[in-house]
Amino acid sequence: MLVSTLNNTSQAELIRKQYDSITAGNEMKWDVIEPSEGKFNFTNADTIADFAQYSGMKLRGHTLLWHNQVPNWLFKGPDGQTGTAIRDLLIKRLKNHIETEVTHYKGKIYTWDVVNEVLSDKSAGLRGEDENSHWKSIIGDADGDGYDSDFIELAFKYAHEADPNALLAINDYNLESSTTKADAMYDLVKRLKAKGVPIDVIGMQMHISIAYPSVSQVKQAIEKFASLGVKVEVTELDMSIYSSPSEQEKKATDSILSDQAQKYKELFDLFKEESQKGNLISVTFWGSADNDTWLDNFPVKGRLDAPLLFDRELQPKPAYWAIVNSNKLKSHK
Ligand code: G3I
């Protein structure tokens, strides 16, 4: 959630009552935490951390390394304004950022999304310049193992050193709907674990829709990842009522809400099963209610969606009742 969400007393009350874990939405991302090099601003994130603490809720950390929502200076030369960072400079910045942020929240965060969306959407490898990420091309492969994942390995190393007790996650989207991406994640984590990189969790964002993917695809992905000996967390769950960007805005009719409820129910039945098997350890929604969703502006700006368990008036939707009748619900962005 955003810190501004707390200004709405009813929304804050809903969060406190219905969820037991918070993710600080945008407030722990690099551009908010370290807008200028070496100048850290924890104000908003601390407000959320304090809210979690006095409400008796847990806190999830999101995110230490991403290609999005990063300040301009990060990939520039030493003056932060001109040129391009070289490997050593970018590593120095990465180390300082992770050490400072993770140390600040040491003992307060149960899982950190250490790296976010590092997999390519185009190939089986890592995201690079053609997909707006400079991490791989600048840091490269200098440890001589033939893989360009040094930046990921370093991020996990620094996070683990700063808070050895926090669980550390690699987080990504479409892992349940794209087998290419799921295979890429599997291969990457397998290799990194064999190298001793401290990865505990694969985070499945799970931005899905009523139409796809199927619940059995979700099951397959969770079990594939868990077979690596890591845990799975569902980190950004929402279920759009649309199945394509070209669909016109529509009202969430009773029939749509009932389909959504059915799919949420099947999904949470699976989550319960996977949690009992020890594979899945948390489920987090990306937003607290339908008045608080990024999907109103994605993939179509201004097209209102209804992806969560509570409506715009903060009332429970059929999906909520479908879940609470068979599962105990507790988790939140
Ligand atoms: O802060 C400015 C504000 O000053 C300005 O008036 C306003 C005008 O559009 O923009 C505000 O910034 C927006 C920011 O959210 C804060 O609300 C950005 O435009 C907007 O792009 C940004 O979107 C965020 C998005 O990540 C950026 O990639 C969403 O809120 C956030 O929910 C979303 O979260 C990501 C996860 O971190 C990773 N997984 C996917 C997920 C959804 O995209």
Side-chain angles (χ1 to χ4, degrees), residues 21-236:
S21 167
I22 292 185
T23 297
N26 292 320
E27 316 290 10
M28 288 191 187
K29 293 176 180 172
W30 200 312
D31 60 348
V32 176
I33 294 292
E34 194 186 1
S36 315
E37 185 161 11
K39 300 219 165 40
F40 288 82
N41 181 355
F42 292 106
T43 314
N44 287 353
D46 281 355
T47 302
I48 291 178
D50 291 348
F51 173 78
Q53 198 174 14
Y54 71 69
S55 306
M57 304 173 81
K58 291 167 79 180
L59 193 59
R60 243 193 131 260
H62 175 84
T63 173
L64 299 170
L65 182 158
W66 196 18
H67 61 281
N68 243 333
Q69 290 178 285
V70 281
N72 283 333
W73 60 265
L74 180 55
F75 299 107
K76 301 278 189 195
D79 66 358
Q81 287 170 19
T82 55
T84 307
I86 56 164
R87 173 184 163 95
D88 287 355
L89 177 61
L90 189 54
I91 289 179
K92 186 174 139 243
R93 287 170 173 167
L94 179 67
K95 184 170 191 285
N96 189 45
H97 181 79
I98 291 184
E99 270 176 8
T100 309
E101 185 166 359
V102 175
T103 302
H104 185 84
Y105 292 109
K106 187 172 180 181
K108 293 187 174 168
I109 286 188
Y110 64 97
T111 304
W112 268 108
D113 285 333
V114 178
V115 300
N116 190 41
E117 302 175 7
V118 295
L119 295 174
S120 168
D121 285 320
K122 299 178 174 176
S123 66
L126 299 178
R127 181 186 295 273
E129 292 292 339
D130 56 339
E131 291 171 286
N132 305 317
S133 176
H134 307 305
W135 289 107
K136 184 175 81 169
S137 55
I138 297 179
I139 295 187
D141 170 30
D143 65 5
D145 70 353
Y147 291 100
D148 44 19
S149 52
D150 292 19
F151 71 98
I152 300 175
E153 296 166 39
L154 290 168
F156 276 92
K157 176 176 181 288
Y158 301 145
H160 183 64
E161 284 167 358
D163 188 353
N165 293 324
L167 294 175
L168 302 183
I170 176 168
N171 191 45
D172 220 314
Y173 58 85
N174 284 356
L175 294 171
E176 58 291 318
S177 54
S178 157
T179 46
T180 311
K181 216 163 182 184
D183 288 349
M185 178 63 94
Y186 180 90
D187 292 345
L188 175 65
V189 171
K190 185 172 183 188
R191 183 169 60 75
L192 294 180
K193 275 186 67 78
K195 260 187 110 176
V197 177
I199 296 189
D200 307 294
V201 170
I202 293 181
M204 300 178 66
Q205 295 186 3
M206 222 169 282
H207 297 293
I208 60 176
S209 94
I210 296 181
Y212 60 86
S214 67
V215 174
S216 68
Q217 279 173 282
V218 177
K219 180 182 167 85
Q220 234 173 10
I222 293 176
E223 297 193 346
K224 182 183 176 85
F225 296 147
S227 75
L228 287 167
V230 293
K231 301 295 180 191
V232 172
E233 291 185 8
V234 175
T235 56
E236 304 181 18

Side-chain angles (χ1 to χ4, degrees), residues 204-316:
M204 300 178 66
Q205 295 186 3
M206 222 169 282
H207 297 293
I208 60 176
S209 94
I210 296 181
Y212 60 86
S214 67
V215 174
S216 68
Q217 279 173 282
V218 177
K219 180 182 167 85
Q220 234 173 10
I222 293 176
E223 297 193 346
K224 182 183 176 85
F225 296 147
S227 75
L228 287 167
V230 293
K231 301 295 180 191
V232 172
E233 291 185 8
V234 175
T235 56
E236 304 181 18
L237 179 62
D238 43 30
M239 190 188 291
S240 174
I241 61 171
Y242 299 98
S243 52
S244 97
S246 59
E247 240 186 288
Q248 295 294 314
E249 181 169 307
K250 63 187 180 192
K251 201 177 164 307
T253 58
D254 287 350
S255 146
I256 291 174
L257 293 178
S258 147
D259 289 350
Q260 186 181 52
Q262 178 59 28
K263 179 112 173 223
Y264 260 126
K265 183 192 175 310
E266 287 169 23
L267 202 57
F268 271 77
D269 285 347
L270 170 69
F271 291 163
K272 196 173 177 186
E273 202 181 298
E274 294 300 336
S275 139
Q276 281 161 355
K277 287 182 189 167
N279 293 340
L280 179 69
I281 55 172
S282 74
V283 177
T284 295
F285 287 91
W286 207 242
S288 50
D290 287 346
N291 65 340
D292 171 29
T293 173
W294 71 294
L295 290 171
D296 282 349
N297 287 307
F298 185 89
V300 182
K301 203 164 174 47
R303 185 181 70 176
L304 300 187
D305 209 324
L308 298 163
L309 302 186
F310 300 89
D311 67 19
R312 285 170 190 274
E313 279 72 48
L314 312 183
Q315 297 307 307

